[in-house]
Amino acid sequence: MKEFFDNLSSEMSELTTKRYSTSFSLGISLLHKDLHKPIYSIYGFVRFADEIVDSFHGFDKEKLLIDFKAQTYLAISDKISLNPILNSFQWAVNTFNIPLDLIETFLRSMEMDLEKQAYDKAGYDEYILGSAEVVGLMCLCVFVEG
């Protein structure tokens, strides 16, 4: 039965990717088929975190992000989550040995995005590292099989 839920979780990550980003979806389609599932899993995770900070106006974004972060680490350690996106992501993290520091750097960048502000060069570099570069590094873990 867990396999059924894991497959559903992967499908949710794929659907999330396809609904939110035609360009990222197109890029994934050019990869070897074996790479699709884990890359969709990573994108689903980063998309949901980004939605919290960019779109959930009228809600306590900070609280939502704190909760999402806690659920993320719990999913990774427990190797399961009832949140299909996090379940799919934890599978990719555990299968491809994605370092937790990459996830932490990404989530720190999302925290920085909670309040719109101007950054100096160091702050801007930190934000770009977390919001873009580490996502590529997570994908690299998949490309080199951990």
Side-chain angles (χ1 to χ4, degrees), residues 85-100:
I85 296 295
L86 291 180
N87 189 57
S88 178
F89 182 65
Q90 70 75 24
W91 168 83
V93 170
N94 287 309
T95 301
F96 295 95
N97 300 310
I98 297 173
L100 295 180

Side-chain angles (χ1 to χ4, degrees), residues 24 28 31 35-44 46 89 92-93 96-99 102-103 132-146:
F24 206 87
I28 292 172
L31 299 172
L35 299 173
H36 292 192
K37 178 179 169 182
I39 301 300
Y40 283 135
S41 297
I42 292 168
Y43 184 85
V46 301
F89 182 65
V93 170
F96 295 95
N97 300 310
I98 297 173
L102 296 180
I103 299 163
E133 291 179 39
V134 296
V135 177
L137 293 172
M138 286 186 231
C139 293
L140 185 60
C141 291
V142 172
F143 299 150
V144 299
E145 298 179 354

Side-chain angles (χ1 to χ4, degrees), residues 19-139:
R19 291 278 174 93
Y20 276 98
S21 179
T22 54
S23 59
F24 206 87
S25 296
L26 179 60
I28 292 172
S29 73
L30 300 174
L31 299 172
H32 188 277
K33 193 144 184 79
D34 292 347
L35 299 173
H36 292 192
K37 178 179 169 182
I39 301 300
Y40 283 135
S41 297
I42 292 168
Y43 184 85
F45 167 74
V46 301
R47 179 76 263 150
F48 269 35
D50 197 49
E51 279 303 294
I52 292 169
V53 298
D54 287 348
S55 301
F56 295 167
H57 310 300
F59 295 92
D60 186 341
K61 295 178 185 184
E62 183 176 9
K63 181 181 180 306
L64 290 171
L65 189 60
I66 288 168
D67 188 47
F68 187 74
K69 182 176 179 178
Q71 288 179 40
T72 297
Y73 289 120
L74 188 60
I76 293 166
S77 67
D78 289 352
K79 298 184 178 179
I80 189 171
S81 175
L82 293 179
N83 175 325
I85 296 295
L86 291 180
N87 189 57
S88 178
F89 182 65
Q90 70 75 24
W91 168 83
V93 170
N94 287 309
T95 301
F96 295 95
N97 300 310
I98 297 173
L100 295 180
D101 65 317
L102 296 180
I103 299 163
E104 183 60 34
T105 301
F106 169 75
L107 291 169
R108 171 67 189 122
S109 186
M110 294 300 99
E111 290 168 357
M112 292 172 70
D113 217 7
L114 284 170
E115 293 186 29
K116 303 299 180 205
Q117 57 185 316
Y119 292 108
D120 60 12
K121 173 84 166 101
Y124 179 75
D125 288 346
E126 179 184 359
Y127 177 76
I128 294 300
L129 171 68
S131 64
E133 291 179 39
V134 296
V135 177
L137 293 172
M138 286 186 231
C139 293

Side-chain angles (χ1 to χ4, degrees), residues 1-15 37 41 84 87-88 91:
M1 202 61 184
K2 172 78 165 55
E3 183 179 350
F4 181 84
F5 182 68
D6 289 342
N7 289 334
L8 174 67
S9 297
S10 294
E11 290 172 18
M12 293 305 300
S13 291
E14 180 177 351
L15 179 63
K37 178 179 169 182
S41 297
N87 189 57
S88 178
W91 168 83

